[in-house]
Structure formats: structure tokens, C-alpha cells
Amino acid sequence: METTITAKLKLTLTSEQFHALRQTQLAYRDVLNLVSKHAFAHGKTSNSRRLHHDLYDRVRGEYRLPSQMACSVFRQVGATYKALWRKWRKDQEALKAGYTKKRFKGLDDAPKYVSPTLTYVYGHDYSFRTGQEVSILTLTGRVRVPYQGWNRHVTLLGHGAIIGGAKLWYDRARKRFYLLVSLTIQTPDPLPTQARQIIGVDVGQRYLATVATLGKGVQFFSGKAVRARADHYARLQKRLQRKGTRSATRRRIAIGARERRLKLETNHTISKHMLDSHPHSVIGLEDLTGIRDRTKRTHGKKASRKQRRANQHASRWAFAELHDLLIYKAHLAGSLCIKVDADYTSQACPRCGHTSKGNRPKKGLLFCCEVCHYTLHADLVGARNISLRTLCIRQAWIQTGQVSTAPDGTDVEAKAARLTRYAELRWSPVPSSLPLGGSI
């Protein structure tokens, strides 16, 4: 199994090298916007070969961009338009199905590249040299620059990883350059017999993550304090955006970056604690693809103040980022993450199997079964149902020798069969071999 990580290397530059890299970055961004406007004017094309044929000579002559960088520009713009067309097609399907009424507007104007991030190809635009130095291509030629990084990443650069492309990123606040290098690591394929336990992870707003094993193990990751800070940053950005001055805009961008770092650090902490507590486990995660279109919420003037606040919280936290961090860290830790269907995980009783919206009185944190009167924390019920569904997938993995890490949402009959099988599952309070710790 291959796992891709990113090594962040800080570059130690002289004033001449700094100026050369900065000029190369700005020229690369200008060419990106030039090619983007050309692609928009010619049918919003995503054909990188056509863009290469139309603009290669102009890019090389007018902007003095090296050949490999010019080819990277055409591929990057083509990939951007492919992603936009893919989102447009998904939006058309959602409109026909009635999941949404909003029209995708990403193709109304030519995409504009604001960040001066520069893409490098390993072996052509940059390469590593002895003495912990990297050779980087600029508009005026190559420069050899010393770098610093995390010891484990520096070791992987020398041996143990396949080096891929890189991005030259400029930290405007600290006026530093960083080289973000893609590293591919070979990890052994997990086996179902090596899994020590099975856990289910339910994500939410009050509790960012709730972890449950097949026994009595449970762990809550509260989001009260973190969400309060994120709300504070959101209120500041709203006031600054309403003010609208240039200094307010600069401040709003800085606060937005601070909020982004807060969420990333929180998700990193949660994923690290989770994997340290459960080594060599099979981790069940909800498949939340298209969850915003599938859930019915009240928006606009019809929504109350409480509903608008709930919509804001649901849309601002990065749950997909937490899943992505868990998936790649699980591969490095010898564990495996599996996506399961998210349907009725918070409405199904794990003891008797009764499924109903009435099991969640007033959609609160208390779960109370209408049939067997089983009462428990609602997020814990969801996590236990996820762990039971993960157990089903692991049993099928043992029988067939193959495992699917994500359910096929396009096959309606297969999904109905899975949900029927999940309805037959029952939770039994067997003591867990590895009890969980408390909450953070």
C-alpha cells in the first residue's frame, strides 16, 4: 500500500536568491491567469495539449518561463477546468434529483489564480544535492539552496521514500520560502487477522468526534472550546468584511488564516490521540459524500436564529479534513480506515434495531428508543452503530479476502441490501480488550 505525505522544508536564502525565486513565482502566476483566460475564451476547454499548442511560444518568449514550467502551467490549468466541469456535472445531477436548487457558478468567469504557488517537477525543475541542499530552477537559472526540515522527513528524502513533485510556497507574514515536497511511502498491506479491535467514529458539532469500540470503550472529543474560538474569528471576519477598507481586508485575511490553522491543529490532535489509543485497528468512518445536499435544512428568512447558527456550525467545520488525516495516518500506523453508509446511524437502536426519528427527542443529545426504552448519548449510539457496520465489512473481508474502503453509492440495490443487513445487527456490552481513555 502506498501512502503520500508532504515534507515541509524551510529554505535558507540569500537576498539574490530570494529575489530570483520571488520573480519566478510572480511570473508563474501571471502565466496561469493568462492561460486560464485563454481556456475560458475558447469554450472553457480543459485540453492541456490544445493550450500548449496555442500559447507555448508566447509563454516562452514573453514571460521567459523555462520549458518544463510552461508545460506544468498548461497541465495545472487543464486540471482546474476538469475539476470545475466535474463539479458542474454533479450539480446538474443534484438539480435533477431535487437535492439542491443552487446553480454551480464556478464556470461563469475564468478562474483567477491569486496565490503565487509554483509547481516543480522532480528531476527537471528541482533536485536534491549532498550537504542537505536543493537545486531549484528560476527565471535566471538554477540556484543551490540549503534547507531545514523535520528529521524524519529529511531521513525519508535520503532513503525510504519516492520523491514526487513539489510546490514553492511563500509565507508572506514571515517573508520565508518553503518547499513542499510530495513523498510516497510503501507500507505493508493490512490483514484482517492483525486488527486488534474495531472502532467506530462519529463526527458532530458539540463533540467533534465520538469513538466507540465493540465493548464498553468510549472516548469523546469535545468541540465546545474550539468552536467558541472559531465563532469568535467568524464574527471578527464578518465585521471586517462589512467595513470593507483595505486594512480591514488585510486583517480579515490574517484572521481567516488563523482560524484555518486552529481547525487543522485540532483535527491533527484528535487523529493523533485516536490512533495512539488504538494501534492496529479497523476504524469505521461515515461516508459523508454529498451530505449537505442530502440533508434538509431551513435556510434564508424562514430559518430561525438558532437554525441559522446550526447551519453555520455545520458548514464551517472541516469534517472531511479529519477523515483524510485519519486515513493517511492510519496507513502509517498499521491501521485501516473503512467508510460505511451513514444512513440512520443516529436513529437506529443498537439494542433492538428499531429505527425512527422519534428515537431522538427534539433532535437533542439524548437517544431514547421508542420500543425498548434504551437510553444513551446520541453521539455514542451513532459511534456504536458505525462500529457494528465496520464489523460486518471486516467479516466479509475475512471470508472473501478483499475489502472495499468506501461503499458504492451509485448501486441502489447493493446499498439497500447493506442497510437490510445492518438492521439485523445488535450491540452486546462485551468488555473491550483495550479500554479507551477519557475525553479531551
Side-chain angles (χ1 to χ4, degrees):
M1 182 180 296
E2 293 184 351
T3 304
T4 302
I5 62 175
T6 301
K8 185 178 180 180
L9 307 178
K10 184 174 70 173
L11 304 180
T12 305
L13 303 169
T14 63
S15 58
E16 293 80 7
Q17 292 172 344
F18 181 91
H19 179 74
L21 289 179
R22 188 61 177 163
Q23 290 299 114
T24 306
Q25 265 195 335
L26 297 178
Y28 189 88
R29 183 182 63 180
D30 293 341
V31 175
L32 282 174
N33 289 316
L34 170 69
V35 178
S36 177
K37 292 179 180 179
H38 181 84
F40 185 84
H42 291 75
K44 306 173 185 178
T45 179
S46 61
N47 192 334
S48 59
R49 292 186 177 181
R50 178 182 174 183
L51 298 175
H52 183 282
H53 180 269
D54 294 344
L55 297 174
Y56 180 78
D57 293 336
R58 181 181 176 185
V59 168
R60 292 278 286 147
E62 183 177 343
Y63 294 89
R64 298 184 297 108
L65 213 63
S67 59
Q68 188 60 51
M69 283 189 190
C71 296
S72 298
V73 167
F74 303 130
R75 286 195 295 265
Q76 185 172 344
V77 174
T80 299
Y81 274 90
K82 284 182 181 178
L84 292 175
W85 280 115
R86 192 181 306 115
K87 291 180 181 179
W88 180 84
R89 285 190 291 268
K90 288 185 178 180
D91 180 74
Q92 293 299 309
E93 295 175 359
L95 285 173
K96 291 181 180 179
Y99 292 149
T100 183
K101 296 181 179 179
K102 294 182 179 180
R103 183 182 63 86
F104 180 66
K105 301 179 181 180
L107 287 170
D108 290 355
D109 298 310
K112 183 178 180 181
Y113 295 87
V114 178
S115 175
T117 304
L118 195 155
T119 303
Y120 280 135
V121 177
Y122 180 67
H124 297 274
D125 299 328
Y126 84 105
S127 58
F128 291 96
R129 296 289 185 262
T130 57
Q132 203 163 318
E133 289 185 342
V134 58
S135 175
I136 305 177
L137 184 62
T138 65
L139 295 179
T140 57
R142 286 184 172 269
V143 293
R144 296 187 62 168
V145 180
Y147 65 86
Q148 299 175 0
W150 189 30
N151 294 334
R152 187 176 298 178
H153 288 167
V154 174
T155 303
L156 289 174
L157 288 172
H159 178 72
I162 301 175
I163 303 175
K167 290 186 178 181
L168 185 66
W169 176 64
Y170 178 63
D171 188 351
R172 187 170 56 180
R174 296 180 175 84
K175 295 184 179 180
R176 294 175 182 171
F177 274 102
Y178 294 89
L179 192 66
L180 310 179
V181 184
S182 175
L183 302 178
T184 302
I185 304 173
Q186 296 287 343
T187 56
D189 295 335
L191 299 175
T193 56
Q194 295 176 345
R196 297 182 181 178
Q197 62 179 344
I198 296 173
I199 65 174
V201 180
D202 179 77
V203 296
Q205 299 179 32
R206 295 183 181 92
Y207 293 93
L208 300 180
T210 304
V211 185
T213 65
L214 294 177
K216 293 183 177 180
V218 60
Q219 189 175 21
F220 290 93
F221 295 90
S222 176
K224 183 177 180 180
V226 178
R227 196 175 67 176
R229 290 180 60 188
D231 290 345
H232 172 66
Y233 292 146
R235 288 192 296 269
L236 289 179
Q237 292 185 73
K238 186 176 181 180
R239 289 201 294 265
L240 291 171
Q241 187 175 14
R242 189 178 302 166
K243 192 172 183 180
T245 61
R246 294 181 62 183
S247 59
T249 301
R250 288 195 299 268
R251 188 59 183 163
R252 180 175 59 85
I253 293 174
I255 293 176
R258 186 181 301 174
E259 179 186 4
R260 186 72 205 92
R261 291 193 300 269
L262 170 67
K263 295 179 180 180
L264 180 60
E265 180 187 8
T266 304
N267 287 332
H268 267 297
T269 303
I270 292 175
S271 59
K272 183 178 183 299
H273 276 276
M274 204 178 297
L275 292 171
D276 288 345
S277 303
H278 313 89
H280 303 287
S281 302
V282 180
I283 304 172
L285 305 174
E286 290 180 297
D287 184 19
L288 301 179
T289 304
I291 189 65
R292 293 184 183 180
D293 296 332
R294 290 188 281 112
T295 54
K296 296 181 179 180
R297 294 192 181 97
T298 306
H299 298 275
K301 297 181 180 179
K302 296 182 179 180
S304 64
R305 182 177 181 182
K306 184 177 180 180
Q307 289 172 332
R308 288 196 297 269
R309 188 176 180 85
N311 293 338
Q312 178 185 3
H313 288 154
S315 60
R316 291 186 68 90
W317 196 263
F319 295 115
E321 181 184 68
L322 176 59
H323 282 183
D324 292 339
L325 291 174
L326 279 172
I327 291 172
Y328 100 82
K329 289 186 178 183
H331 290 168
L332 299 177
S335 300
L336 179 65
C337 288
I338 295 176
K339 293 289 186 71
V340 301
D341 295 292
D343 302 72
Y344 314 116
T345 54
S346 62
Q347 300 177 10
C349 178
R351 176 174 289 181
C352 69
H354 175 67
T355 303
S356 172
K357 292 183 179 180
N359 292 342
R360 294 280 302 275
K362 299 181 180 180
K363 298 181 180 180
L365 282 178
L366 181 66
F367 180 93
C368 184
C369 181
E370 296 177 325
V371 176
C372 67
H373 304 290
Y374 179 68
T375 304
L376 198 64
H377 194 286
D379 291 342
L380 180 56
V381 169
R384 285 182 174 175
N385 285 327
I386 295 172
S387 63
L388 289 174
R389 297 182 181 188
T390 308
L391 176 62
C392 273
I393 298 177
R394 179 179 178 269
Q395 291 174 344
W397 183 15
I398 295 175
Q399 295 174 359
T400 62
Q402 297 179 351
V403 61
S404 176
T405 56
D408 184 7
T410 59
D411 194 338
V412 180
E413 295 181 358
K415 182 176 182 179
R418 290 196 303 269
L419 294 179
T420 302
R421 185 181 180 187
Y422 294 154
E424 300 173 354
L425 299 175
R426 300 293 181 268
W427 177 79
S428 177
V430 179
S432 176
S433 60
L434 288 177
L436 296 172
S439 61
I440 65 171

